[in-house]
Amino acid sequence: MDNHTIKTVFKEYIHPLDSKVIQKMVDHAGLDKYVKKLDILTFTNAFIYAQLKNLDSLKRISNTIKRKKTVQRLVGIESISKSQLSRKNRDIPHEIFEVILHHLIQKLHHILGPRMVSKELGKLHLIDSSTISMCLSQYEWADFRETKAGVKMHTSISFCDGISYPNKVNLSPARPADETQLDALIVADKKVLHVFDRGYFNFEKFEAYSKAGI
């Protein structure tokens, strides 16, 4: 993407994030107490921009913000060190982003209206996982392989009238099989069609779901 496109896409990503509502969530949880510079909203902006530009390290994120005035205006800070980014990334509980996700899903339901939600959104759910490799020495709890750690992000995507959005996201260590997360991702609704690959094969669960009419 060129710089103009990046700015446009970035603003489209940021637009649905109701900063006042998110700030109330953050204040209620006391997550930004005594923070002067890198609050959660600024951190989120920085990593959304990094994702769009494929900045694959904290150092690159830090250097890009420091060098480019346009990025500073988009993100909301003039400079930040990689160590500050690392500490903030470590300290933010992942649950706050789950709350933000659920808030966005509620907004989508409100925009589409209850009639469309009840008739369309529940019909097709796409289930899959993505594996994120990590450093074994720093994340020993994230059981994966002998030489590296990792987590899996198991995602259920709702599909409606050409629009898709995450319905549920579960994190787990990378080693356990995908099918261990089926119960958490399946929607107990007879009108829902679930689509997933062979990683989720478990015939005992399939039989139980069938008996329940899923």
Side-chain angles (χ1 to χ4, degrees), residues 5-23:
T5 305
I6 285 290
K7 287 175 63 177
T8 302
V9 175
F10 178 83
K11 289 177 180 178
E12 288 298 318
Y13 271 78
I14 295 300
H15 178 70
L17 296 175
D18 190 327
S19 59
K20 292 182 179 179
V21 173
I22 294 173
Q23 194 59 56

Side-chain angles (χ1 to χ4, degrees), residues 43-72:
F43 174 88
T44 302
N45 289 347
F47 274 78
I48 289 175
Y49 183 85
Q51 180 71 23
L52 289 172
K53 289 291 288 184
N54 293 318
L55 304 179
D56 57 3
S57 70
L58 298 181
K59 184 176 182 179
R60 287 190 65 193
I61 297 173
S62 174
N63 290 342
T64 301
I65 293 174
K66 184 178 180 179
R67 292 196 322 266
K68 298 186 177 182
K69 295 289 185 183
T70 54
V71 179
Q72 295 170 12

Side-chain angles (χ1 to χ4, degrees), residues 193-213:
L193 173 63
H194 298 85
V195 181
F196 44 82
D197 63 22
R198 290 177 294 177
Y200 293 91
F201 269 22
N202 184 314
F203 290 105
E204 290 183 1
K205 289 187 180 295
F206 293 169
E207 183 176 5
Y209 296 149
S210 296
K211 288 181 179 179

Side-chain angles (χ1 to χ4, degrees), residues 22-56:
I22 294 173
Q23 194 59 56
K24 286 182 180 179
M25 299 175 185
V26 172
D27 292 343
H28 179 73
L31 298 176
D32 274 340
K33 280 187 177 180
Y34 314 115
V35 173
K36 296 180 180 179
K37 190 173 184 179
L38 188 61
D39 57 35
I40 288 177
L41 280 170
T42 303
F43 174 88
T44 302
N45 289 347
F47 274 78
I48 289 175
Y49 183 85
Q51 180 71 23
L52 289 172
K53 289 291 288 184
N54 293 318
L55 304 179
D56 57 3

Side-chain angles (χ1 to χ4, degrees), residues 54-214:
N54 293 318
L55 304 179
D56 57 3
S57 70
L58 298 181
K59 184 176 182 179
R60 287 190 65 193
I61 297 173
S62 174
N63 290 342
T64 301
I65 293 174
K66 184 178 180 179
R67 292 196 322 266
K68 298 186 177 182
K69 295 289 185 183
T70 54
V71 179
Q72 295 170 12
R73 288 193 292 269
L74 288 173
V75 173
I77 49 175
E78 294 183 357
S79 66
I80 197 73
S81 69
K82 65 176 184 179
S83 60
Q84 288 173 299
L85 289 170
S86 178
R87 285 195 297 271
K88 192 69 174 181
N89 188 50
R90 178 196 62 203
D91 294 341
I92 297 177
H94 69 84
E95 288 84 1
I96 188 64
F97 296 109
E98 292 180 7
V99 172
I100 293 172
L101 171 63
H102 293 154
H103 170 64
L104 293 174
I105 291 172
Q106 289 174 358
K107 285 184 67 175
L108 181 60
H109 278 236
H110 179 72
I111 292 170
L112 294 177
R115 184 177 178 183
M116 182 178 286
V117 169
S118 62
K119 291 182 66 176
E120 301 293 342
L121 286 181
K123 288 187 176 180
L124 183 61
H125 280 232
L126 314 176
I127 295 174
D128 204 358
S129 69
S130 298
T131 301
I132 304 170
S133 297
M134 301 187 300
C135 175
L136 181 60
S137 62
Q138 295 188 41
Y139 302 97
E140 295 182 4
W141 57 268
D143 187 31
F144 187 19
R145 296 177 180 169
E146 292 184 0
T147 57
K148 61 182 176 180
V151 295
K152 275 186 182 176
M153 183 171 67
H154 304 267
T155 307
S156 169
I157 301 290
S158 290
F159 186 80
C160 167
D161 195 24
I163 299 172
S164 60
Y165 71 96
N167 179 59
K168 193 164 188 181
V169 177
N170 284 349
L171 291 177
S172 73
R175 187 182 292 274
D178 289 349
E179 55 92 6
T180 60
Q181 298 297 312
L182 261 180
D183 286 341
L185 298 171
I186 290 290
V187 177
D189 188 331
K190 295 180 181 180
K191 297 180 180 180
V192 170
L193 173 63
H194 298 85
V195 181
F196 44 82
D197 63 22
R198 290 177 294 177
Y200 293 91
F201 269 22
N202 184 314
F203 290 105
E204 290 183 1
K205 289 187 180 295
F206 293 169
E207 183 176 5
Y209 296 149
S210 296
K211 288 181 179 179
I214 298 172

